[in-house]
């Protein structure tokens, strides 16, 4: 583990929908980072990264939201978040702001949780134990945007930061999927603008996990899981969803 | 609801058809992965192809003129057409000059784009599509649903019924070998009768004046060899500088399109046959103005392999017709709005932005980023619906103020906990159509933090 990082200031970014609907994911993320010896601060004036707006074409209207984000997080050495999609948005799409030192710093230093654990903290063992059959849904923005792993389309050497972490969890049994990195159909506001295709995609995704024997579906993005959970509950299915932070933070069950 | 979403909803009512189409196209995507995986330098090839296209697009005028010069020297008649109307008229002129009545055509998306078939039919010309999939949809009087697999949305039973009606095959027989046999017999007659053969063009080589046509059925060659007059129709972006560039594109095209290492027939046409005539029509139809739009220039690199359609999880489930444009799918969603912005404003939203399209694209078009940029452009052009604009504006206000954000979050959670289900799951709640809303917790993370950590 990179002990130097413990001396740095870490800002926790909890995306709006996790804040409002899945506080347990925020708590697990915080717990995990603290367990690893980090001082973590949560700037309470934070709201959202602005992605829902920009995704719908309202990038300009999102600028005040972006500015609020930068105001809250520019004082930290690292910003860590349990959402690859929001992190990708900050690093990729804050290019429309004037590139001040603060903006550049925030764009460069905002990390998705797994990315932070592997690339910056370089963790070896975090004492997690989770004796269950788990299917990993590889969320698109994390996978293809942040390059947390090699997407199946690219003909390059395979790697996956997320698998690397999950493989260190004791007792876990990672199942194989028929389609290893198919989109779940959430797609932010896509889920509202194209409800029929969105739900259909979600159903296929769940089916793939179910037929391959997953008890739990996990992901680096709670948003994908929120969509899948919505279908699971509507269809009264047995399989459950859990954010990867909850699995990495679970020590005994 | 926007057009694509509505059309997709209709297609999805037949759950089994959607599943079946999804599986069929995914199988092609898997074949593509295997074929691409066998080429070690695949990612380098993509980069090289993208750069050749980049270079060519920057020097398009010069290469097109080079092509014309050499083609003329080779005895080819070269025509230029500014738009669809001029293109159609040029084809008609060639046909009329020969007093021809019957024409065969091998697959060409350009002729679809220009509406050549209905135009010629109105002039009393019989035009027969000779690609099997194209022939099937021509019988059905509908547009292709995919640029490489035009009839992928149909089941063999449907084709059996169609052939029974049109070609008098045995009723109820949908055996593929039997049906293709019948099509073959029927098409052979058309090939022999035709006076003129029309083909599309996959690549046109500037340094040699050659046009290259790739087919799996050999139908372009059957047409060209049998008819006295051959007409090749190309968009201006089909040009590539050198013969050696073909080695890059030919390796990428078939692997990306169908997972074959090469198409069964890759035919090079350079000179007219003895006593024959060879025409090449070079068509602009909006491409040069497209080229001038820096933000969307990249999409002109497309070599029409269809890989983005096969990988697109939205396309696979909603079908090509839901896009309502000649080129459907991810690439079509960034091409169509270039000239028909208002009419096609829904297409950039018909994507979950998963990014798989950009990764499979053999010429590295940043399709998903372009989709995202299109959304911004549509908003700037004031082409989003008022409801969308108003709700986005409200959301913008809420999300930029911590106080408003906290208040509305708390209120929404309270409402979700206390309102009767009937009130929450109404027609306006699009999320609730096929999904439950998340169970709202008593306190947000922020409330928890303020209590426990501050």
């Amino acid at each position: 583990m990179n002990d130097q990082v413990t001396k740095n200031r870490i800002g926790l970014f909890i995306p709006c929908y996790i804040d409002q609907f899945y506080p347990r994911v925020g708590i697990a993320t915080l717990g995990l980072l603290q367990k690893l010896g980090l001082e973590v601060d949560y700037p309470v004036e934070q709201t959202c990264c602005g992605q829902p707006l920009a995704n719908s074409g309202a990038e300009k209207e999102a600028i005040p939201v972006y500015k609020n984000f930068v105001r809250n997080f520019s004082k930290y050495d690292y910003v860590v978040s349990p959402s690859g999609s929001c992190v990708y948005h900050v690093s990729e799409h804050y290019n429309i702001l004037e590139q001040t030192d603060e903006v550049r710093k925030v764009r460069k230093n905002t990390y998705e949780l797994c990315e932070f654990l592997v690339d910056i903290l370089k963790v070896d063992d975090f004492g997690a134990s989770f004796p269950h059959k788990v299917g990993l849904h590889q969320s698109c923005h994390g996978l293809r945007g942040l390059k947390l792993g090699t997407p199946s389309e690219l003909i390059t050497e395979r790697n996956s930061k997320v698998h690397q972490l999950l493989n260190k969890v004791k007792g876990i049994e990672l199942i194989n999927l028929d389609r290893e990195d198919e989109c779940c159909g959430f797609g932010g506001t896509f889920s509202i603008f194209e409800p029929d295709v969105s739900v259909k995609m979600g159903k296929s995704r769940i089916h793939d996990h179910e037929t391959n024997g997953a008890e739990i579906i996990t992901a680096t993005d709670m948003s994908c899981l929120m969509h899948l959970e919505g279908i699971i509950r509507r269809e009264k299915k047995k399989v459950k969803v859990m954010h990867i932070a909850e699995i990495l933070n679970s020590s005994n069950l | 609801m926007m057009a694509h979403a509505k059309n997709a909803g209709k297609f999805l009512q037949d759950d089994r058809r959607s599943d079946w189409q999804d599986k069929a196209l995914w199988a092609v995507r898997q074949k593509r992965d295997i074929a691409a995986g066998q080429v070690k330098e695949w990612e380098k090839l993509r980069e090289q192809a993208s750069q050749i296209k980049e270079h060519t697009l920057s020097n398009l005028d010069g290469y097109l003129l080079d092509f014309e010069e050499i083609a003329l020297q080779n005895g080819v008649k070269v025509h230029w057409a500014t738009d669809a109307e001029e293109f159609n008229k040029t084809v008609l002129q060639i046909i009329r000059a020969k007093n021809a009545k019957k024409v065969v055509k091998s697959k060409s998306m350009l002729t679809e784009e220009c509406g050549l078939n209905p135009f010629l039919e109105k002039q009393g010309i019989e035009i027969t599509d000779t690609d099997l999939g194209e022939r099937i949809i021509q019988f059905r009087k509908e547009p292709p649903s995919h640029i490489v697999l035009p009839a992928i949305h149909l089941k063999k039973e449907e084709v059996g019924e169609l052939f029974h009606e049109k070609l008098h095959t045995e009723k109820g027989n949908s055996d593929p070998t039997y049906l293709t046999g019948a099509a073959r017999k029927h098409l052979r007659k058309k090939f022999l009768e035709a006076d003129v053969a029309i083909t599309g063009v996959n690549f046109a080589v500037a340094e040699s004046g050659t046009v290259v046509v790739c087919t799996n059925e050999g139908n372009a060659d059957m047409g060209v060899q049998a008819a006295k007059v051959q007409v090749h129709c190309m968009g201006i972006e089909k040009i590539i500088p050198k013969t050696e560039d073909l080695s890059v594109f030919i390796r990428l095209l078939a692997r990306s399109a169908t997972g074959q290492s090469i198409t069964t027939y890759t035919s090079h046409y350079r000179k007219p046959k003895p006593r024959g005539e060879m025409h090449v029509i070079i068509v602009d139809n909006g491409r040069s103005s497209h080229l001038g739009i820096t933000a969307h220039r990249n999409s002109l690199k497309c070599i029409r392999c269809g890989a983005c359609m096969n990988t697109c999880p939205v396309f696979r489930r909603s079908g090509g017709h839901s896009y309502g444009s000649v080129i459907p799918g991810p690439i079509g969603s960034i091409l169509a709005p270039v000239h028909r912005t208002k009419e096609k404003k829904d297409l950039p939203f018909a994507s979950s932005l998963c990014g798989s399209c950009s990764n499979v694209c053999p010429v590295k078009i940043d399709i998903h980023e372009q989709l995202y940029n299109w959304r911004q452009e549509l908003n700037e052009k004031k082409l989003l619906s008022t409801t969308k604009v108003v709700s986005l504006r409200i959301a913008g206000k809420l999300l930029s103020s911590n106080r408003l954000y906290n208040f509305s979050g708390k209120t929404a959670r309270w409402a979700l906990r206390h309102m009767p289900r009937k009130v929450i799951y109404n027609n306006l709640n699009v999320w609730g159509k096929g999904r439950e809303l998340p169970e709202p917790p008593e306190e947000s993370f922020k409330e928890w933090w303020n209590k426990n950590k501050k």
Side-chain angles (χ1 to χ4, degrees):
Chain A
M1 198 169 103
N2 182 354
D3 291 328
Q4 285 302 313
V5 184
T6 51
K7 297 185 184 101
N8 285 308
R9 301 188 67 193
I10 317 277
L12 182 63
F13 163 41
I14 299 300
C16 51
Y17 69 97
I18 294 185
D19 174 41
Q20 293 296 332
F21 293 121
Y22 301 99
R24 63 165 210 262
V25 174
I27 295 168
T29 308
L30 179 70
L32 178 62
L33 293 172
Q34 286 174 335
K35 196 192 277 179
L36 293 166
L38 300 171
E39 284 280 345
V40 181
D41 188 21
Y42 172 81
V44 290
E45 299 274 310
Q46 63 176 285
T47 57
C48 164
C49 69
Q51 184 178 196
L53 292 163
N55 228 330
S56 321
E59 209 174 50
K60 294 264 156 67
E61 286 83 342
I63 286 178
V65 188
Y66 294 0
K67 286 188 171 158
N68 182 56
F69 188 93
V70 174
R71 202 164 37 237
N72 275 295
F73 286 106
S74 57
K75 58 177 177 276
Y76 299 102
D77 299 309
Y78 295 104
V79 181
V80 182
S81 176
S83 165
S85 188
C86 305
V87 169
Y88 174 68
H89 189 71
V90 170
S91 59
E92 192 69 20
H93 291 135
Y94 278 27
N95 58 343
I96 62 158
L97 290 175
E98 190 197 331
Q99 297 300 296
T100 58
D101 288 348
E102 285 83 18
V103 172
R104 271 203 300 267
K105 187 177 174 199
V106 164
R107 287 180 69 191
K108 189 169 153 271
N109 294 338
T110 302
Y111 287 88
E112 184 278 331
L113 176 66
C114 295
E115 187 183 31
F116 180 75
L117 295 179
V118 173
D119 289 351
I120 304 299
L121 211 54
K122 304 185 195 312
V123 291
D124 313 309
D125 186 20
F126 37 90
S129 147
F130 193 75
H132 294 282
K133 282 178 135 181
V134 175
L136 171 65
H137 169 68
Q138 308 208 55
S139 304
C140 303
H141 285 176
L143 179 70
R144 300 193 182 84
L146 296 177
K147 302 185 169 57
L148 294 180
T150 314
S152 57
E153 306 92 28
L154 294 183
I155 313 299
T156 49
E157 217 176 290
R158 307 261 122 190
N159 64 54
S160 163
K161 293 172 195 175
V162 187
H163 279 99
Q164 206 177 309
L165 289 171
L166 285 174
N167 285 332
K168 287 183 180 151
V169 176
K170 283 183 202 81
I172 198 166
E173 190 185 331
L174 277 177
I175 59 141
N176 288 321
L177 295 164
D178 295 342
R179 299 182 184 181
E180 57 176 299
D181 53 14
E182 173 106 316
C183 174
C184 69
F186 173 64
T189 46
F190 174 78
S191 62
I192 306 294
F193 300 147
E194 292 262 1
D196 298 313
V197 188
S198 171
V199 169
K200 180 75 186 171
M201 284 164 70
K203 283 183 182 169
S204 318
R205 207 68 207 115
I206 295 163
H207 183 73
D208 197 351
H209 282 84
E210 274 181 324
T211 50
N212 285 293
E215 294 165 54
I216 314 273
I217 304 176
T218 192
T220 49
D221 271 82
M222 200 59 216
S223 52
C224 308
L225 295 175
M226 172 171 77
H227 165 68
L228 295 177
E229 185 195 50
I231 298 169
I232 289 169
R233 280 180 39 226
R234 173 64 59 91
E235 312 236 308
K236 302 194 169 41
K237 290 179 175 296
K238 266 210 208 122
V239 63
K240 300 231 168 346
V241 304
M242 272 176 95
H243 189 272
I244 191 159
E246 298 176 271
I247 293 181
L248 299 181
N249 191 44
S250 60
S251 35
N252 50 44
L253 282 168
Chain B
M1 213 190 261
M2 289 182 303
H4 179 270
K6 210 183 270 173
N7 297 338
K10 241 181 256 164
F11 185 78
L12 279 164
Q13 278 171 1
D14 189 344
D15 225 21
R16 283 173 52 202
R17 184 186 293 274
S18 166
D19 284 342
W20 173 82
Q21 184 185 260
D22 168 49
K23 271 195 200 123
L25 291 172
W26 184 255
V28 184
R29 159 70 211 275
Q30 284 178 309
K31 277 175 72 184
R32 173 261 173 212
D33 292 351
I34 294 169
Q38 283 161 353
V39 180
K40 259 197 297 191
E41 66 276 28
W42 182 260
E43 297 302 331
K44 268 192 207 151
L45 270 185
R46 288 175 68 219
E47 185 53 42
Q48 212 178 338
S50 185
Q51 280 175 17
I52 296 171
K53 282 281 176 186
E54 186 66 45
H55 166 81
T56 315
L57 289 176
S58 306
N59 300 277
L60 206 51
D61 52 342
Y63 284 124
L64 285 168
L65 291 173
D66 289 353
F67 174 85
E68 182 187 36
E69 196 188 319
I70 311 277
L72 289 171
Q73 283 169 18
N74 291 341
V76 176
K77 296 191 168 136
V78 180
H79 314 257
W80 298 79
T82 323
D83 53 20
E85 198 189 338
E86 199 180 346
F87 166 71
N88 289 341
K89 280 187 181 157
T90 308
V91 178
L92 183 64
Q93 264 169 15
I94 298 169
I95 297 171
R96 286 266 160 87
K98 293 283 139 192
N99 269 326
K101 287 272 177 289
K102 293 186 175 184
V103 175
V104 285
K105 192 185 87 186
S106 89
K107 216 169 149 307
S108 150
M109 293 315 292
L110 177 68
T111 59
E112 297 282 346
E113 171 188 322
C114 295
L116 181 69
N117 286 21
F119 172 82
L120 290 182
E121 278 158 6
K122 247 187 227 156
Q123 307 295 326
I125 312 272
E126 182 199 279
I127 177 159
T128 306
D129 276 306
T130 58
D131 172 278
L132 178 57
E134 287 281 340
R135 187 64 182 136
I136 292 169
I137 56 160
Q138 190 183 27
F139 275 143
R140 286 172 61 100
K141 295 191 184 357
E142 63 182 32
S145 74
H146 185 294
I147 61 171
V148 176
L149 312 154
I152 190 73
H153 58 296
L154 299 172
K155 298 185 177 181
K156 60 180 187 198
E157 289 75 17
E158 290 166 303
V159 178
E161 258 171 62
L162 182 75
F163 277 17
H164 169 66
E165 185 195 321
K166 303 282 180 186
L167 301 177
H168 313 295
T169 53
E170 219 174 276
K171 193 166 176 54
N173 194 337
S174 58
D175 174 57
T177 313
Y178 170 68
L179 293 179
T180 37
R184 186 188 167 110
K185 218 161 124 193
H186 158 73
L187 286 171
R188 181 155 298 177
K189 192 162 162 276
K190 298 289 175 191
F191 282 125
L192 292 172
E193 288 172 356
D195 310 293
V196 176
I198 299 176
T199 81
V201 169
N202 289 91
F203 306 99
V205 185
E207 70 171 3
S208 64
T210 311
V211 295
V212 178
V213 181
C214 306
T215 73
N216 270 326
E217 296 165 26
N219 53 316
D221 304 86
M222 293 277 273
V224 167
Q225 299 311 329
K228 284 200 190 74
V229 181
Q230 65 193 88
V231 184
H232 307 285
C233 315
M234 59 176 269
I236 55 170
E237 84 286 12
K238 294 289 177 185
I239 197 96
I240 55 170
K242 294 180 184 163
T243 306
E244 66 180 53
D245 299 328
L246 274 175
S247 63
V248 176
F249 290 107
I250 298 290
R251 293 181 83 194
L252 287 167
L253 178 67
R255 290 185 170 90
S256 299
T258 54
Q260 294 164 272
S261 43
I262 195 161
T263 50
T264 318
Y265 301 89
T266 300
S267 309
H268 302 238
Y269 304 112
R270 196 154 67 100
K271 285 180 176 174
K273 309 183 280 285
R275 291 179 302 282
E277 264 177 43
M278 175 170 166
H279 298 258
V280 173
I281 313 175
I282 303 172
V283 187
D284 185 332
N285 203 30
R287 287 165 176 74
S288 54
S289 67
H290 181 172
L291 187 65
I293 313 169
T294 321
H296 305 306
R297 184 179 185 270
N298 225 355
S299 49
L300 275 175
K301 290 181 180 173
C302 175
I303 59 170
R304 306 286 191 262
C305 69
C308 61
M309 294 161 204
N310 303 336
T311 204
C312 178
V314 177
F315 181 97
R316 269 187 268 118
R317 287 169 183 91
S318 58
H321 288 155
S322 62
Y323 294 80
S325 62
V326 175
I327 311 279
I331 183 70
S333 300
I334 61 174
L335 284 173
V338 173
H339 298 299
R340 291 148 67 204
T341 317
K342 208 168 170 180
E343 197 190 328
K344 291 292 154 201
K345 61 182 181 187
D346 60 317
L347 293 186
F349 292 93
S351 163
S352 65
L353 301 181
C354 76
S356 183
C357 48
S358 307
N359 279 346
V360 293
C361 178
V363 289
K364 289 188 123 176
I365 302 171
D366 51 344
I367 306 176
H368 76 292
E369 281 297 326
Q370 297 244 349
L371 287 165
Y372 175 87
N373 293 338
W374 259 119
R375 295 180 184 187
Q376 316 307 327
E377 218 171 294
L378 291 165
N379 184 27
E380 265 164 49
K381 292 196 160 105
K382 309 218 175 310
L383 288 174
L384 301 186
S385 72
T386 324
T387 3
K388 202 187 259 184
V389 171
V390 171
S391 48
L392 288 173
R393 210 163 282 157
I394 296 171
K397 287 265 178 315
L398 288 182
L399 295 174
S400 53
S401 151
N402 177 46
R403 199 176 46 81
L404 283 175
Y405 161 87
N406 291 340
F407 173 75
S408 48
K410 206 177 168 89
T411 315
R413 273 185 286 116
W414 185 89
L416 283 178
R417 276 200 313 273
H418 293 95
M419 303 274 250
R421 189 175 169 87
K422 268 200 300 215
V423 177
I424 294 168
Y425 288 89
N426 59 29
N427 284 338
L428 291 172
N429 177 357
V430 185
W431 177 274
K433 260 181 93 176
R435 293 158 289 211
E436 291 296 297
L437 288 159
E439 275 167 343
E442 290 270 346
E443 56 183 13
S444 67
F445 177 81
K446 200 177 282 186
E447 287 159 1
W448 175 87
W449 172 277
N450 283 335
K451 238 193 265 166
N452 298 289
K453 296 282 168 182
K454 213 173 174 179

